[in-house]
Amino acid sequence: SPVHETDGAGRVWVYVEAYGLTAGSRFRTVVRLEPEKGEEGAFEIGFEGEGPADAGEAARGLYRLELGDSPPGAYEATLRVRDGRTGAESLPARFRVVNRRR
């Protein structure tokens, strides 16, 4: 997975594609961030979205994570997408985020 690095203000963008969601239902994307060095301070950021009209199409989202109030350093990110109608949840996608806030 690629490394996502923040800009000087602590912002980073994450693009998501989710397949197999119930047609026309809402969905929720949750990103959990945990400091890599085993420090305390894990937190989650969530986003709501509207699923595709056709179940065979992908739901897409481009999300801005605001980490400006978080300590600088590397975080292990875990992303999941949950179908709002069925409650089914995706397998986790894991990637690294580096907060280079100045």
Side-chain angles (χ1 to χ4, degrees), residues 1-38:
S1 297
V3 173
H4 292 82
E5 293 187 11
T6 65
D7 61 15
R11 292 180 299 252
V12 66
W13 294 87
V14 177
Y15 175 75
V16 177
E17 282 189 12
Y19 295 86
L21 296 170
T22 304
S25 73
R26 308 265 317 148
F27 67 94
R28 181 164 177 78
T29 301
V30 176
V31 180
R32 179 175 176 79
L33 292 133
E34 298 181 52
E36 278 191 347
K37 295 183 179 178

Side-chain angles (χ1 to χ4, degrees), residues 55-89:
E57 296 178 18
R60 294 175 175 84
L62 180 62
Y63 305 113
R64 184 175 70 199
L65 305 181
E66 297 279 351
L67 305 179
D69 292 334
S70 302
Y75 291 82
E76 177 72 24
T78 304
L79 183 144
R80 294 179 188 265
V81 177
R82 183 177 309 121
D83 188 301
R85 188 168 299 153
T86 67
E89 193 169 80

Side-chain angles (χ1 to χ4, degrees), residues 6-10 68 72 99-102:
T6 65
D7 61 15
N99 186 1
R100 298 208 184 278
R101 176 182 59 93
R102 296 177 197 155

